Amino acid sequence: MIKGIKGVKDLLPEETPRWRFIEETARRWADRYGFHEIRIPIFEVTTLFARSIGASTDIVEKEMYTFQDRDGTSLTLRPEGTAGTVRAYIEHNRGAVPVPQKYFYFGPMFRHERPQAGRLRQFHQFGVESFGMADPRSDIEVIALLWRLLSDVGLQGLTLEINNLGYPADRDSYRPQLVTYLKQHESHLCSNCQRRIEMNPLRILDCKVPECRALTEQAPRLADSLSEAPRAYSAAVLRGLDLIRIPYSLNHRLVRGLDYYNLTTFEVTAMNLGAQNAVGAGGRYDGLVETLSGPPTPAVGFAVGLERIAMLLADSAIRTSAAKAVVYIAAFGEQGSLAGLSALEDLRVCGISAVSDFRSSTLKAHLRQADRLGCSFTLIIGDDEVTKGTGILRNMVTKSQYDLPLAALPTAIQPLLTIS
Ligand code: ATP
Ligand code: MG
């Protein structure tokens, strides 16, 4: 037997209503905030990710699925959605469009990580990117969308953490202070962080190892090195969140795992997620479009992990437009089978969902399948019914039965379906 790949999951029909609910909710909120869907490729040239995400990040160092195309070009399965969206924005010269470019996307992402609950090698994200506006209201809009959608989906115990990374110059003046502190305590850091002291010291603030956390708690803070402009920017973002009543807490160690952020970064965590408690995260990345050879373009966005939302949703929270079939057709005999086939098609074409099990040959077997499929009604059509020109509609709950003219089935059935 050929099995699926480790860390890559199938979503069976029992699970997909949950996903559909999450996706429908996300789309609804994206529409309300004026974001439009973009669909970008699942693979891109490797340099796109290496240049945007940053060479010394976990993703680029060890998590990418990279392979050689037949002509030798190095390609990579996308580990996240921002790089591809920015590439598309630049390639299609979207900066020339006079209205704000606000995009959302859904889709699978690929990272070679150690699979565990809430951490997969193929996982799915919903994300948004808002291009062109260097205004705190743009950060607030994106954060609000994230907060409203996670609340609406029904997640409990949500916490929004927020930080300000300043501009590159702020980090340049902060970095030596942090490095000096870290070097004094180097032997207490995990080996990963010891390696990062020179390469990417800020990332150490984000390390989840308890010893590293304890140490960095006492470290000099970036917030204390920020110049006037980022301080004012951050204050405006927080004021706006207060105004629209979105609760947050400040987290000075929230540097995020990607190199392209500046000013605002944020993360939403949920209760009951265990070690992988981040549901979604994002921030402002004003330099990225330029880094990828586009025009200077401020931007802000987020991505949420759909697996983590799906894990947390109670069955009772799920409301979806994916309806169960309403009418089951129980057809027998030569004439009955043909009439049943017509009835199925007549109902479906008129917008009524109808099903049958073509293997069943007795009424009892048909009724059992109708129950299993959760159909509210069964339409019984045997050869006799065909002769009379009427089928028998059985309400599966009350068991009451009605004769219906087969020639005008959809019209005759409609009022009966809506009563129950
Ligand atoms: P983490 O700290 O959990 O590794 P991250 O910083 O790598 O998260 P991002 O790149 O910001 O995550 O992605 C945003 C969201 O995507 C995360 O909050 C999470 O919900 C989800 N996510 C990230 N990696 C995975 C994964 N391997 N499997 C499932 N979901 C994931
Ligand atoms: Mg990660």
Side-chain angles (χ1 to χ4, degrees), residues 58-59 63 111 113 119 123 208 256-257 276 308:
D58 282 353
I59 293 183
E63 295 175 359
R111 297 185 195 175
E113 303 199 68
R119 194 173 291 288
F123 63 100
K208 306 283 191 295
R256 307 288 307 123
Q276 270 66 54
R308 296 195 192 167

Side-chain angles (χ1 to χ4, degrees), residues 293-310:
S293 313
T297 309
V300 56
F302 71 71
V304 288
L306 302 187
E307 277 77 7
R308 296 195 192 167
I309 300 179

Side-chain angles (χ1 to χ4, degrees), residues 7 58-59 63 79-80 109-126 206 208 256-258 260-261 266-268 273 275-282 302-309:
D58 282 353
I59 293 183
E63 295 175 359
E80 52 100 58
M109 305 296 161
F110 306 85
R111 297 185 195 175
H112 194 277
E113 303 199 68
R114 199 166 65 77
Q116 49 196 292
R119 194 173 291 288
L120 294 160
R121 291 183 173 174
Q122 174 174 333
F123 63 100
H124 299 79
Q125 286 184 336
F126 164 76
D206 217 20
K208 306 283 191 295
R256 307 288 307 123
L258 311 144
Y260 50 57
Y261 289 117
F266 53 90
E267 187 164 281
V268 174
L273 257 185
Q276 270 66 54
N277 65 350
V279 188
F302 71 71
V304 288
L306 302 187
E307 277 77 7
R308 296 195 192 167
I309 300 179

Side-chain angles (χ1 to χ4, degrees), residues 231-270:
R231 279 178 202 265
Y233 195 92
S234 168
V237 171
L238 301 183
R239 250 196 331 272
L241 291 174
D242 290 334
L243 179 77
I244 60 173
R245 289 190 291 279
I246 293 187
Y248 57 84
S249 58
L250 301 178
N251 176 356
H252 70 92
R253 38 166 91 241
L254 193 67
V255 295
R256 307 288 307 123
L258 311 144
D259 270 354
Y260 50 57
Y261 289 117
N262 68 311
L263 294 174
T264 316
T265 56
F266 53 90
E267 187 164 281
V268 174
T269 54

Side-chain angles (χ1 to χ4, degrees), residues 128-150:
V128 313
E129 316 292 352
S130 172
F131 293 102
M133 293 179 282
D135 187 304
R137 285 172 294 181
S138 178
D139 308 48
I140 295 164
E141 177 175 66
V142 160
I143 295 172
L145 168 53
L146 173 61
W147 184 259
R148 300 289 176 215
L149 116 78
L150 293 178

